[in-house]
Amino acid sequence: MYTAMNRSCAQWTRVLFLHNSRLSGGKQFPIETRGLASPPPPTNFSVGINKRQTDISDDGKTAVPSSASIGRRDPLDLSFDNAEAAFRSKTTLQILRAYLVFTLCSSNYLVENNMKLMKLGKKVLGKRLFKSLMKATFYGQFVAGENQQDIMPTIQRMRSFGVKSILDYSAEEDISAEEAAEKEMASCVSTSVAPDTAAIAVDPAANSPEADKRYHAHREFADRRQNVNSARTYFYLNEAQCEKNVDIFLRCIEAVSGTTQSTGFAAIKMTALGRPQLLLQLSEVIARSRRYFTEVTGLSADNNILQQNASPAIFEKRFEKADILTDNVAVQKWLQQMTYDQKGLIHLFSWSGLIDANILLNDLFKVPNLQTGRMEPLITALSPEEEEMACNMLRRLNTIFSAARDLDVRVMVDAEQSYFQPAISRLTMELMRKYNKEKAIVFNTYQCYLKETYNNVVLDLEQANRQNFYFGAKLVRGAYMEQERARALALGYEDPVNPTYEATTAMYEKTLLECLMRIKEMKTRTNERRIGVMVASHNEDTVRFALRKMEELGISAQDKVICFGQLLGMCDQISFPLGQSGYSVYKYVPYGPVDEVLPYLSRRAQENRGILTKIKKEKRLLVTELKRRLVKGQLFATPKGEYVPI
């Protein structure tokens, strides 16, 4: 049987070694792409300092940069039509490569058959020649390199032109749809016997399988890659594979610390760290607990219990009325373990205990039955092995974020499908509570194509305020829209997706504005900066909206509370002009071996095919810059950056 303890000790030895070497002023060791071997010999590149040049200062107050640290600043053209600013960081060969790649992405035949063609090319050309071809085209456009050493030139070049990096090790399995479905179904079905759902319900119909089928695996949608072009998918194999994923994430965090002068981000997915079944069951528990809350109190909890400001006294009165409180020690203890403050309830259960104290899920998620007074489970029963897997997942999360905190690196938890997301967001908020006490280390991702996004952000902002921790958010439009709609229609539950593109745009802007208003209020009241938001969008109108509202509300780039993000190789006309004008901007930087990032490259091709209007503009700007260089005699000029990222 796989021994997680030994693996965990090895991971922590590695993290502590790196952390101590930084504290002692020693040099950083390069991180290889595989294994947890002993540290390799030191290299000569410089490392970050103990205190990060952070977007949120250590005391949460606005910091004034010195003139020496600002570097060159250019005016911003809000039309994002400045070809010279967009491609100033690129050589002429890189511009020609970008034009070729975007032209190929415009071909429906090539995009629809891209994986077949890449595999055929590898077979015909041989591994070495195929690798060279990919690096000269798609790989070179969208991926920074194979390992930490390879990506250093790209990171340093972008940084010298005002753009920082989010690192993501993007190697992934290339498996068939049938294999993916088999793995998913095997990892989403409990080996335990489910309890009688009528026994755990206040209203027997309320917690029925029909009401919660959204949170159960269905073979038709078991391959979670279907109709998803812009997000990586992890499939559960075993606990050993999850430990390997932890190692990958730790190396990514170490790479951020060692290559970005501690200004970058790392990105993780929770489905890489445990059985998806556990996330499904936790999401189901959240839905059931809201219905239980409504049944007991008569108050609506469609979005969240926290918003009702309900006192635990309401539960006491209801239990007394049901005659289940007197002389019932278990019910009295349950009342005492609620999470609440002076305003009222925050959670029915001690989620912090789940993160901090390894409380068993079967023990934590119980509620008093109003008819019998017995404590009944809200969660489908877990076997001892599944409980151990749940503990392993939480341990892995703590390992990752403890390392991130020690190495002063921020980590984004990527959003996933809506049937996983309630659990992912809840766990991420508890990780924020634990690790964001002094600065924003943990960032949650919010998909604005979902109808409930605005309410979720408002409630999470409120929890951060009431429990006094830093709030970090990345706002995206979302990656799973087509899949979500098809699944909701087939299974007969409400479509979670906004009805139109315009409605998603309105949701994005409303959610962002709420964050900006909270930032403005906090800045005016205490001059603190305890909210950080990344506007992750390739949409020029969305970026313009953010800039306009920042100006209207008196939020400057120097406040370092708003940053922008785009993918490497895409929308340079947004990223680089923003960075060169003094805004905080990031590129999402994938890296990994050529053979293992082919699925990622396939998704990039498909995503670009889906935004032909944007590709048309980028191609026009690329041609404009080529003509400018030809006229100016700069075709062979070497890009040299004079910018310092904020």
Side-chain angles (χ1 to χ4, degrees):
M1 181 177 178
Y2 185 86
T3 305
M5 183 64 72
N6 293 336
R7 190 84 173 183
S8 180
C9 290
Q11 290 163 350
W12 270 109
T13 299
R14 185 184 184 89
V15 170
L16 290 172
F17 173 81
L18 285 162
H19 182 50
N20 290 335
S21 69
R22 288 166 59 87
L23 292 178
S24 62
K27 290 191 175 184
Q28 183 84 15
F29 293 102
I31 309 304
E32 298 299 330
T33 56
R34 294 184 182 280
L36 278 177
S38 58
T43 58
N44 60 3
F45 62 82
S46 62
V47 302
I49 55 177
N50 290 337
K51 284 192 176 183
R52 180 208 312 145
Q53 300 173 26
T54 178
D55 281 354
I56 298 179
S57 59
D58 288 344
D59 60 0
K61 302 293 181 67
T62 301
V64 180
S66 65
S67 58
S69 67
I70 293 176
R72 175 178 167 181
R73 291 286 182 264
D74 296 338
L76 177 63
D77 178 4
L78 285 176
S79 71
F80 298 113
D81 218 24
N82 187 333
E84 182 180 0
F87 306 118
R88 184 179 283 129
S89 66
K90 295 184 180 299
T91 66
T92 299
L93 282 177
Q94 289 171 333
I95 290 175
L96 290 170
R97 180 188 66 196
Y99 187 86
L100 171 64
V101 168
F102 288 141
T103 299
L104 293 174
C105 288
S106 302
S107 167
N108 286 333
Y109 176 80
L110 291 177
V111 171
E112 289 172 1
N113 297 279
N114 67 85
M115 279 300 291
K116 293 179 182 178
L117 292 171
M118 284 191 285
K119 290 177 180 178
L120 178 62
K122 182 179 178 181
K123 184 176 181 180
V124 172
L125 298 175
K127 187 174 182 179
R128 181 175 296 180
L129 190 56
F130 174 75
K131 184 175 180 179
S132 298
L133 176 63
M134 292 303 296
K135 286 192 172 183
T137 53
F138 284 91
Y139 183 95
Q141 180 69 15
F142 298 119
V143 182
E146 297 200 49
N147 52 48
Q148 180 179 341
Q149 287 72 41
D150 287 351
I151 68 178
M152 280 292 293
T154 298
I155 291 172
Q156 292 174 342
R157 174 178 56 82
M158 291 197 303
R159 183 175 177 80
S160 71
F161 287 92
V163 175
K164 296 170 283 188
S165 300
I166 304 169
L167 300 190
D168 179 53
Y169 187 73
S170 296
E172 57 187 281
E173 282 187 291
D174 180 20
I175 60 176
S176 68
E178 185 177 347
E179 288 177 298
E182 289 294 336
K183 288 185 176 183
E184 184 72 357
M185 294 307 296
S187 63
C188 286
V189 178
S190 175
T191 59
S192 179
V193 178
D196 181 2
T197 55
I200 65 173
V202 177
D203 172 4
N207 287 329
S208 66
E210 290 75 15
D212 292 328
K213 57 187 173 183
R214 174 178 179 176
Y215 303 112
H216 291 260
H218 296 268
R219 190 170 188 87
E220 181 183 355
F221 301 96
D223 184 358
R224 289 182 276 115
R225 302 169 303 179
Q226 289 181 352
N227 299 320
V228 177
N229 293 333
S230 57
R232 178 180 180 177
T233 302
Y234 287 89
F235 293 99
Y236 180 85
L237 179 62
N238 52 42
E239 293 295 283
Q241 182 61 48
C242 292
E243 295 295 337
K244 290 180 182 178
N245 290 336
V246 172
D247 295 343
I248 290 171
F249 292 147
L250 287 175
R251 288 196 298 275
C252 190
I253 290 168
E254 293 162 4
V256 172
S257 178
T259 63
T260 69
Q261 300 182 27
S262 292
T263 61
F265 282 86
I268 72 166
K269 279 184 178 285
M270 280 200 193
T271 50
L273 301 175
R275 280 175 65 92
Q277 167 213 348
L278 301 171
L279 295 174
L280 288 172
Q281 288 183 265
L282 287 176
S283 294
E284 187 176 48
V285 162
I286 292 170
R288 288 176 171 180
S289 65
R290 290 172 182 171
R291 291 198 294 271
Y292 181 80
F293 174 88
T294 298
E295 183 68 19
V296 172
T297 66
L299 301 172
S300 172
D302 289 341
N303 296 308
N304 200 288
I305 292 169
L306 180 145
Q307 69 184 145
Q308 295 297 337
N309 294 330
S311 167
I314 297 178
F315 282 80
E316 291 184 21
K317 291 179 181 178
R318 182 68 176 89
F319 293 161
E320 287 174 352
K321 183 178 179 181
D323 195 24
I324 63 170
L325 182 60
T326 305
D327 298 328
N328 193 326
V329 176
V331 174
Q332 293 171 3
K333 183 178 180 181
W334 184 83
L335 287 169
Q336 294 170 359
Q337 291 178 343
M338 286 180 168
T339 304
Y340 61 92
D341 61 10
Q342 292 181 345
K343 289 186 177 181
L345 279 174
I346 297 176
H347 307 300
L348 284 184
F349 308 106
S350 175
W351 286 88
S352 60
L354 192 63
I355 293 290
D356 298 335
N358 292 325
I359 297 176
L360 296 179
L361 273 66
N362 281 331
D363 293 337
L364 178 62
F365 297 115
K366 291 183 177 181
V367 295
N369 186 301
L370 291 181
Q371 280 75 47
T372 66
R374 292 196 306 269
M375 299 301 297
E376 304 281 5
L378 277 185
I379 191 168
T380 302
L382 297 172
S383 67
E385 183 181 8
E386 289 167 345
E387 283 279 16
E388 182 180 1
M389 290 177 180
C391 289
N392 287 342
M393 175 186 277
L394 297 172
R395 172 184 53 77
R396 292 172 191 129
L397 287 168
N398 275 309
T399 297
I400 289 167
F401 285 102
S402 293
R405 178 186 59 194
D406 291 344
L407 294 177
D408 206 10
V409 171
R410 292 161 293 177
V411 178
M412 291 179 170
V413 180
D414 284 343
E416 304 195 46
Q417 284 87 349
S418 64
Y419 42 90
F420 293 135
Q421 197 57 42
I424 292 172
S425 290
R426 178 89 308 280
L427 292 173
T428 302
M429 287 303 294
E430 288 306 314
L431 291 164
M432 279 193 208
R433 179 199 55 77
K434 182 174 183 177
Y435 294 102
N436 286 12
K437 293 179 179 178
E438 297 180 357
K439 60 183 69 174
I441 296 292
V442 185
F443 278 65
N444 196 16
T445 302
Y446 297 89
Q447 300 187 101
C448 292
Y449 69 62
L450 295 174
K451 297 173 182 176
E452 61 183 18
T453 297
Y454 173 77
N455 286 332
N456 287 341
V457 170
V458 168
L459 294 164
D460 289 348
L461 282 165
E462 180 67 13
Q463 181 185 347
N465 180 55
R466 285 168 63 170
Q467 294 190 309
N468 196 31
F469 58 82
Y470 285 73
F471 177 77
K474 178 177 72 170
L475 302 183
V476 300
R477 285 184 176 266
Y480 308 99
M481 183 177 67
E482 291 183 30
Q483 185 186 102
E484 294 276 15
R485 281 182 167 157
R487 191 176 190 270
L489 180 63
L491 302 183
Y493 60 83
E494 182 183 354
D495 185 351
V497 178
N498 287 315
T500 63
Y501 179 87
E502 290 74 21
T504 293
T505 298
M507 177 66 74
Y508 198 118
E509 293 179 352
K510 181 180 179 181
T511 304
L512 175 59
L513 183 58
E514 178 67 28
C515 294
L516 292 171
M517 294 292 288
R518 299 281 186 120
I519 291 170
K520 170 64 174 177
E521 179 187 357
M522 189 172 290
K523 181 180 178 181
T524 302
R525 189 176 69 249
T526 63
N527 201 31
E528 287 186 312
R529 299 179 299 155
R530 300 179 66 85
I531 299 171
V533 178
M534 173 174 282
V535 181
S537 177
H538 292 173
N539 187 292
E540 293 178 5
D541 289 335
T542 298
V543 174
R544 278 190 285 265
F545 174 86
L547 295 171
R548 185 173 70 251
K549 291 303 177 182
M550 286 174 66
E551 183 178 5
E552 291 174 3
L553 294 170
I555 300 171
S556 70
Q558 286 70 35
D559 288 330
K560 300 181 182 179
V561 291
I562 301 294
C563 59
F564 298 85
Q566 290 83 36
L567 292 169
L568 180 69
M570 296 172 63
C571 292
D572 286 348
Q573 78 275 13
I574 296 177
S575 306
F576 285 93
L578 280 173
Q580 292 161 18
S581 64
Y583 288 93
S584 180
V585 184
Y586 291 85
K587 281 290 194 183
Y588 185 93
V589 180
Y591 68 101
V594 174
D595 291 344
E596 296 180 33
V597 299
L598 294 184
Y600 174 84
L601 294 174
S602 175
R603 292 199 303 273
R604 291 288 75 80
Q606 292 168 347
E607 184 175 11
N608 277 291
R609 191 265 303 268
I611 50 175
L612 289 177
T613 301
K614 290 186 176 70
I615 288 181
K616 187 176 181 180
K617 176 172 182 176
E618 289 199 54
K619 289 173 66 178
R620 174 175 60 79
L621 291 174
L622 288 164
V623 171
T624 299
E625 176 60 8
L626 283 171
K627 290 179 179 178
R628 188 196 68 79
R629 293 188 183 191
L630 181 62
V631 171
K632 297 280 187 179
Q634 297 176 349
L635 284 177
F636 302 103
T638 300
K640 184 178 180 180
E642 304 172 331
Y643 304 87
V644 178
I646 191 167

